[in-house]
Amino acid sequence: MARVPSAVVAASGLVGGYGVARWTKKRPLGGAVLAVAGAAAAQQWRTQAGNAAAGALTAAYVGAFAGSHPLAKKIGAWPSVLGVAGAVALASWAVADRKA
């Protein structure tokens, strides 16, 4: 079975978490999606790029989640979520997936 790149896992967690929270109107459920995908991505980052890189990428993931909220007030919710998801995916690919 082919491995899903960590960039896809991380971006899916951000987009999926927001989508689930919005469509179900249950923010904790969206948070669970965000957390599970983040943990899965962090494990891949640790395996592929080491602890320091995994820590930095995890911080970027959490920062993207937090930063999407004020950004959404300026450009809208979906553009904000898609933008930060793309940024995290790019960072993940550059640090971890490109080497795999």
Side-chain angles (χ1 to χ4, degrees):
M1 184 169 173
R3 181 185 63 81
V4 177
S6 63
V8 173
V9 174
S12 297
L14 289 161
V15 174
Y18 174 69
V20 167
R22 181 171 177 137
W23 289 315
T24 65
K25 307 227 186 298
K26 296 186 186 325
R27 291 180 77 183
L29 188 57
V33 170
L34 179 81
V36 168
Q43 180 59 41
Q44 283 185 269
W45 294 328
R46 190 174 302 109
T47 301
Q48 292 171 213
N51 289 332
L57 288 167
T58 300
Y61 184 82
V62 172
F65 167 69
S68 70
H69 292 81
L71 183 60
K73 292 179 181 182
K74 295 184 185 297
I75 66 171
W78 276 112
S80 173
V81 170
L82 294 173
V84 300
V88 169
L90 181 61
S92 179
W93 175 81
V95 173
D97 293 334
R98 179 173 52 156
K99 298 175 185 177

